[in-house]
Amino acid sequence: MANAKLSELRKKIRPFEDADDKASSKQMVNTLPPFFALWVLAYLSLSISVWITIPIAIIAAGFLVRVFIIFHDCCHGSFFKNRKLNNFVGTVTGILTMFPYSKWKREHAIHHATSSNLNKRGTGDVWIMTVDEYLNSSALQRLQYRLYRNPIVMFGLGPIYMLFITNRMNRKDAKKAERRNTYLTNVSILGVSLLLIWLIGFYAFFVIQFTIMFVAGMAGIWLFYVQHQFEDSYFEDESEWDYVKAAIDGSSYYKLPRVLQWLTGNIGYHHVHHLSPKVPNYHLETVHEQTPPLQQATTITLRSSLKSIKFRLYDERKKTFVSFKEIKQIMRQNQTVNY
């Protein structure tokens, strides 16, 4: 994109980068109280049947995803005008979603700065190997990667590993403030959990909280996965990498049904978000609708997004994702040539 067009694009987006405290407060009201109400309703329904409780907990998980979007915007400093208020609300919502605010804020900032850059993978993103890397890796590395990319592992064990292991630990070189925030989050999660167990019992707590966290975690991983891994997604080496292309061509517009769009806080407009992380979630749709160049982003739907499950490796030559089945054919061809 030419510099003039890029400048014009940023000029159109800039008015939407300011947080609207009234809109943010309204979102807090229509998200947090319903979440807590559903949690209580799930508990009360246990006296009737656990099969009523689980569907209620699943709905509550949808609201927890919306809580996470508030947390996410706070990490970008885009939810409230006041920085301290963003940090406070971000830490509290981080406790509710089991995400340490300072730790994830740093990792997510790195993700935005390096998204689609093949030379800077590994922080805040999903593990992606290129075709050449896979072909040149050991049998053990291939097995590890295949297990990691297996849908059962990624979307089944992934939420458990993320919530209970990686989110609970700091990196070795983490600064004191980041460490303290993670410790505060962990202690708060433990304290609230023990209090609820004391009040309602372990069985009720486990059925409700585990269902909510697992479903919300699975949905979160799916959203993060599908919005960067579609067939013609943009990936480039450092020398060719471009921030704007990474945002518009490397992030999808996930066109969801209205209810799901609302629960996921418009995060489906991921191309807009990556182009300007300062735009609050409640402005993303408006920016997309009023900025024609952004409407050129790859659009995926619930149905078409299911195809992304088969995308396992990135082919740098063809500029597309390929499946393990396709890579087997390449390996057979190589063996034939070598023979």
Side-chain angles (χ1 to χ4, degrees):
M1 185 176 290
N3 288 336
K5 289 185 177 180
L6 176 58
S7 177
E8 184 65 24
L9 183 61
R10 286 177 172 166
K11 189 184 296 184
K12 290 181 179 179
I13 294 175
R14 195 169 294 120
F16 299 97
E17 291 180 335
D18 294 329
D20 182 342
D21 286 351
K22 184 176 180 181
S24 298
S25 298
K26 180 180 178 181
Q27 187 167 351
M28 294 269 293
V29 170
N30 64 33
T31 301
L32 292 171
F35 170 71
F36 292 128
L38 285 165
W39 213 106
V40 173
L41 184 61
Y43 169 65
L44 295 175
S45 71
L46 267 176
S47 61
I48 303 173
S49 172
V50 70
W51 299 113
I52 297 177
T53 302
I54 291 176
I56 295 173
I58 291 173
I59 297 172
F63 276 85
L64 189 64
V65 171
R66 190 166 166 83
V67 173
F68 179 83
I69 298 302
I70 293 174
F71 163 84
H72 167 267
D73 277 12
C74 288
C75 286
H76 285 294
S78 64
F79 197 65
F80 289 108
K81 295 181 185 295
N82 185 280
R83 181 178 60 84
K84 290 184 178 180
L85 186 56
N86 275 313
N87 291 339
F88 174 74
V89 174
T91 298
V92 173
T93 51
I95 293 168
L96 292 174
T97 56
M98 295 181 68
F99 275 78
Y101 176 72
S102 296
K103 176 180 185 292
W104 198 81
K105 179 180 179 180
R106 177 187 59 82
E107 292 178 349
H108 194 59
I110 294 173
H111 163 69
H112 272 264
T114 61
S115 180
S116 298
N117 189 325
L118 290 172
N119 296 108
K120 293 183 177 179
R121 287 166 287 166
T123 301
D125 54 16
V126 174
W127 185 14
I128 298 172
M129 289 183 76
T130 65
V131 169
D132 287 344
E133 288 171 343
Y134 184 81
L135 292 176
N136 294 321
S137 62
S138 67
L140 179 58
Q141 288 174 321
R142 290 178 187 175
L143 176 61
Q144 290 174 333
Y145 186 71
R146 291 180 75 95
L147 287 173
Y148 177 92
R149 302 288 296 202
N150 185 290
I152 296 175
V153 174
M154 181 173 288
F155 304 113
L157 298 179
I160 298 172
Y161 182 76
M162 174 181 66
L163 294 172
F164 296 99
I165 298 179
T166 59
N167 279 4
R168 309 279 64 84
M169 300 185 296
N170 288 303
R171 59 192 169 101
K172 291 182 180 180
D173 58 343
K175 294 181 180 180
K176 287 185 179 180
E178 183 177 319
R179 289 182 180 278
R180 286 198 294 266
N181 183 265
T182 301
Y183 298 151
L184 171 64
T185 302
N186 291 345
V187 170
S188 298
I189 291 170
L190 180 62
V192 172
S193 298
L194 290 175
L195 176 62
L196 286 172
I197 290 171
W198 178 70
L199 289 172
I200 66 175
F202 178 79
Y203 173 74
F205 172 79
F206 178 80
V207 169
I208 300 168
Q209 186 67 1
F210 181 81
T211 301
I212 291 173
M213 298 309 303
F214 180 77
V215 173
M218 186 167 56
I221 292 175
W222 171 254
L223 287 168
F224 196 80
Y225 173 87
V226 75
Q227 291 182 323
H228 289 289
Q229 303 194 42
F230 44 95
E231 192 167 8
D232 57 348
S233 184
Y234 172 88
F235 283 90
E236 279 292 353
D237 292 322
E238 171 73 15
S239 59
E240 300 292 330
W241 183 82
D242 179 82
Y243 179 85
V244 177
K245 286 185 178 180
I248 299 177
D249 297 332
S251 303
S252 65
Y253 163 36
Y254 198 7
K255 192 174 183 179
L256 294 168
R258 275 290 172 181
V259 173
L260 294 181
Q261 180 184 324
W262 187 85
L263 286 173
T264 57
N266 294 317
I267 201 62
Y269 295 95
H270 213 59
H271 56 304
V272 181
H273 171 64
H274 263 263
L275 184 62
S276 180
K278 295 298 290 183
V279 176
N281 72 84
Y282 42 78
H283 287 330
L284 293 175
E285 181 178 8
T286 303
V287 173
H288 173 82
E289 295 297 335
Q290 295 186 10
T291 315
L294 294 179
Q295 295 167 18
Q296 298 172 14
T298 299
T299 301
I300 56 176
T301 63
L302 274 178
R303 177 177 291 183
S304 64
S305 68
L306 296 176
K307 297 178 182 177
S308 67
I309 295 175
K310 69 177 183 180
F311 300 147
R312 308 298 177 83
L313 297 156
Y314 189 74
D315 191 326
E316 291 184 77
R317 295 179 182 83
K318 296 181 179 179
K319 303 296 182 183
T320 187
F321 275 97
V322 296
S323 65
F324 283 135
K325 184 177 180 180
E326 291 173 282
I327 207 68
K328 282 183 180 180
Q329 295 174 349
I330 295 175
M331 293 174 72
R332 291 195 193 100
Q333 291 172 357
N334 289 347
Q335 289 173 353
T336 302
V337 172
N338 292 334
Y339 180 76

